[in-house]
């Protein structure tokens, strides 16, 4: 009769997946833009950094609750929260490289470009995905929740 709305982080699994895709795309493009080639995953240091960035991204998403109210935020608020998310990720990755004493071996250009590209990609992707979800809801979707768009209640 009544369908319980998805609660917690699972409610925005689509945004989480899109954020991770944006992060990995930014990572590869930054590595290429820093003049090191197209496959950062063949070097152990960069492969470990890619894994760390993904886990740190998930940690930031859950600890700062950056997806709370994501469908209701305007463009400016989304920019501010995305910036806070990326700055936190920047700090965590700097601490990671410092603790491992690998800061000298890791390209600073690749590191900064990863986070700049990630900020741009994730902000634009979130805006576009929200627009898609709103259009889908307007054309017959069920609710504003990203996890329930297009599902019909029995």
């Amino acid at each position: 009769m009544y369908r319980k709305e998805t609660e917690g982080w699972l409610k925005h699994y689509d945004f989480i997946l899109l954020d991770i895709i944006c992060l990995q795309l930014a990572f590869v493009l930054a590595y290429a833009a820093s003049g090191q080639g197209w496959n950062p995953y063949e070097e152990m240091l960069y492969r470990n950094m890619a894994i760390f960035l993904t886990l740190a991204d998930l940690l930031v998403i859950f600890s700062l609750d950056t997806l709370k109210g994501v469908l209701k935020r305007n463009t400016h608020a989304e920019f501010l929260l995305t910036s806070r998310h990326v700055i936190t990720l920047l700090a965590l990755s700097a601490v990671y490289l410092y603790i491992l004493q690998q800061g000298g071996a890791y390209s600073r250009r690749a590191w900064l470009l990863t986070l700049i590209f990630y900020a741009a990609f994730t902000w634009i992707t979130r805006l576009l995905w929200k627009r898609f979800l709103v259009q889908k809801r307007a054309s017959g979707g069920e609710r504003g929740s990203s996890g329930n768009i297009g599902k019909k209640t029995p």
Side-chain angles (χ1 to χ4, degrees), residues 12 48 89 117 130 142:
H12 297 299
N48 289 342
L89 195 59
F117 290 162
K130 285 193 293 189
E142 182 183 326

Side-chain angles (χ1 to χ4, degrees), residues 20-109:
I20 292 171
I21 291 169
C22 287
L23 178 61
Q24 291 303 313
L25 177 64
F27 184 72
V28 171
L29 289 177
Y31 184 79
S34 65
Q36 300 182 36
W38 284 98
N39 188 4
Y41 306 107
E42 66 188 4
E43 289 186 48
M44 182 65 80
L45 177 61
Y46 286 87
R47 183 174 35 227
N48 289 342
M49 185 61 149
I51 294 168
F52 174 79
L53 284 173
T54 302
L55 295 175
D57 188 43
L58 292 172
L59 178 71
V60 171
I61 287 171
F62 297 135
S63 65
L64 294 182
D65 210 9
T66 58
L67 295 178
K68 183 177 184 180
V70 69
L71 295 172
K72 298 173 186 165
R73 291 196 289 251
N74 63 21
T75 304
H76 181 68
E78 190 66 53
F79 178 77
L80 292 176
L81 281 167
T82 301
S83 298
R84 184 179 82 168
H85 179 105
V86 171
I87 289 169
T88 305
L89 195 59
L90 174 91
L92 287 173
S93 63
V95 168
Y96 171 77
L97 289 171
Y98 176 77
I99 288 173
L100 292 182
Q101 297 178 353
Q102 294 295 321
Y106 198 88
S107 168
R108 288 175 221 21
R109 181 180 295 153

